[in-house]
Amino acid sequence: MSTSSSSSKEEKKVDVAGVSGFPPMHALAIWGAMVACFVSTLPSFETMDQVAKPETFTHVVFPEYMSTQTVGYIRLTIAGLMLALTVHDMLLDTVVQTTQYLPNSKLIKTPMTLKGWKLMCFFTNWSWALLNLSFFLNGYLALYPLSHGDYNIWIMRMATIAFDS
């Protein structure tokens, strides 16, 4: 009798590593509707170019205390520190994420080990990466005329999108 009860317990185990499947159709429909809605509200290049001007990235609040070049170096220093922290976390940090379910749930509690680039699955890490990109592009644009003389409109557009995101 004890053999049958132990074999029935073994049958209830599920191999979670091999479980995969197609997302539900209602989830795909909602995702598609949201993407269509959000894409239709994106600004055009003309409206973006009204904001993405050289003055936007080179404006200094207190020019008597700090030059545009100093602001550019400060922004690049902050971007470098943020990048160093991100790389440090990706190389040395490990997060074990476990989803808590209700007591009578049939869902299986499975710990997920996140390390390396998988740490970017959290919204906070994506926000941090966009902020880092914004600091880098804004610092680069503040120093850009020193080496190139003229601004690249695509870099200014990317900096505006990174800052507004």
Side-chain angles (χ1 to χ4, degrees):
M1 207 49 112
S2 62
T3 349
S4 63
S5 64
S6 64
S7 64
S8 65
K9 287 181 184 178
E10 290 175 9
E11 291 173 8
K12 291 184 181 180
K13 290 183 182 179
V14 176
D15 180 22
V16 243
V19 176
S20 64
F22 197 71
M25 291 308 288
H26 65 279
L28 291 176
I30 290 173
W31 181 83
M34 289 175 61
V35 166
C37 178
F38 292 144
V39 166
S40 68
T41 62
L42 288 175
S44 65
F45 286 130
E46 292 81 21
T47 58
M48 196 181 308
D49 290 344
Q50 292 173 359
V51 177
K53 299 177 191 172
E55 297 82 28
T56 305
F57 305 104
T58 59
H59 176 71
V60 180
V61 179
F62 300 110
E64 61 272 4
Y65 297 114
M66 195 177 301
S67 67
T68 304
Q69 184 178 5
T70 306
V71 170
Y73 285 128
I74 289 172
R75 289 174 182 167
L76 287 177
T77 302
I78 292 172
L81 291 172
M82 292 172 72
L83 180 63
L85 182 62
T86 302
V87 170
H88 175 270
D89 282 349
M90 287 182 145
L91 293 177
L92 300 176
D93 197 16
T94 301
V95 175
V96 177
Q97 178 71 30
T98 305
T99 307
Q100 300 296 324
Y101 297 115
L102 294 174
N104 295 330
S105 176
K106 293 181 181 179
L107 298 171
I108 300 169
K109 182 177 174 181
T110 306
M112 295 178 286
T113 304
L114 306 173
K115 65 181 185 177
W117 64 271
K118 292 180 183 177
L119 285 172
M120 293 301 289
C121 75
F122 299 113
F123 174 77
T124 311
N125 293 2
W126 278 102
S127 300
W128 179 261
L130 276 174
L131 184 64
N132 190 5
L133 179 65
S134 176
F135 268 108
F136 174 75
L137 291 174
N138 289 334
Y140 177 73
L141 285 170
L143 298 174
Y144 193 79
L146 297 175
S147 59
H148 296 84
D150 196 18
Y151 287 93
N152 185 342
I153 189 66
W154 286 101
I155 296 175
M156 289 192 293
R157 287 174 181 165
M158 287 189 308
T160 304
I161 291 170
F163 179 75
D164 288 340
S165 296

